[in-house]
Amino acid sequence: MLIRRERADDAAAIAAVHRSAFGPQYANADRETAELADDSAADPPEVDLITRLRSDSGWIPTLSMVAVEHDSVIGHVCLTRAGVGPFPVLALGPIGVLAEHQGNGVGAALMHAAIGAADALDEPLIGLLGHLDYYPQFGFLPAARLGITPDEPAWVSHFQVRTLSAYDSQITGEFRYAEPFYEL
């Protein structure tokens, strides 16, 4: 497996990754509505989020990475520009792995690559809304411990941050994602 930057011709494969990774979560949606809708409307929101992020000012092409095995994209992660008050920081997500490759370390490899790339670019921290049992293994901790709160109060229980080498303890306040995250 190789982790590399996303290329323009990866867009369809990345959409397929997120469709595979997140689609089962939405499988119990109203079946009649899904039958009446076109295929793109039935996509999980993460597929549209990636499309919207690519055209947003918060998009950072160097921090959108894919996992490739035998010339096929099997996973994807991206980091986008976010902010904590006046401080520029990063937001992670979405991250997805093709269903048939989950549980084999692909997601962990993408996480390590994303964190390493962000640290190499002297970014101070990464924020994410995610599972409390998964992300702490990568150094994420509840954001409130560092005086950082999400701008959506309902997110506070699952909002986490990972500090990097350039972190400064003065970075406190309200975290704000790139605009497409609020359009889901």
Side-chain angles (χ1 to χ4, degrees):
M1 177 179 61
L2 168 74
I3 306 289
R4 65 165 170 76
R5 287 176 53 178
E6 170 186 341
R7 296 188 300 231
D9 62 347
D10 292 328
I14 290 169
V17 163
H18 292 296
R19 210 172 277 119
S20 173
F22 294 101
Q25 294 177 24
Y26 302 97
N28 295 328
D30 182 353
R31 303 254 181 232
E32 287 181 24
T33 302
E35 289 172 9
L36 296 173
D38 64 45
D39 287 340
S40 64
D43 275 346
E46 291 80 2
V47 174
D48 185 51
L49 175 60
I50 290 296
T51 301
R52 289 174 185 250
L53 284 170
R54 283 190 188 106
S55 62
D56 187 78
S57 63
W59 183 250
I60 305 171
T62 57
L63 294 176
S64 180
M65 293 174 248
V66 293
V68 178
E69 186 175 78
H70 305 294
D71 296 323
S72 295
V73 173
I74 62 170
H76 173 256
V77 65
C78 68
L79 295 162
T80 52
R81 179 61 58 210
V84 174
F87 302 99
V89 299
L90 296 174
L92 187 140
I95 179 172
V97 176
L98 287 174
E100 61 268 24
H101 291 276
Q102 291 176 5
N104 296 323
V106 177
L110 285 164
M111 286 297 298
H112 288 296
I115 292 166
D119 197 45
L121 293 172
D122 289 326
E123 294 290 344
L125 69 82
I126 301 168
L128 63 79
L129 185 63
H131 201 282
L132 300 173
D133 293 333
Y134 183 71
Y135 293 101
Q137 69 182 308
F138 304 105
F140 284 84
L141 53 95
R145 289 188 193 169
L146 299 177
I148 299 171
T149 57
D151 60 352
E152 294 286 336
W155 296 347
V156 77
S157 65
H158 287 76
F159 189 71
Q160 303 166 61
V161 295
R162 166 65 154 82
T163 60
L164 303 172
S165 299
Y167 172 71
D168 183 327
S169 61
Q170 293 180 30
I171 300 174
T172 60
E174 190 173 82
F175 184 97
R176 176 109 181 126
Y177 280 97
E179 199 56 39
F181 282 92
Y182 303 96
E183 298 167 358
L184 291 176

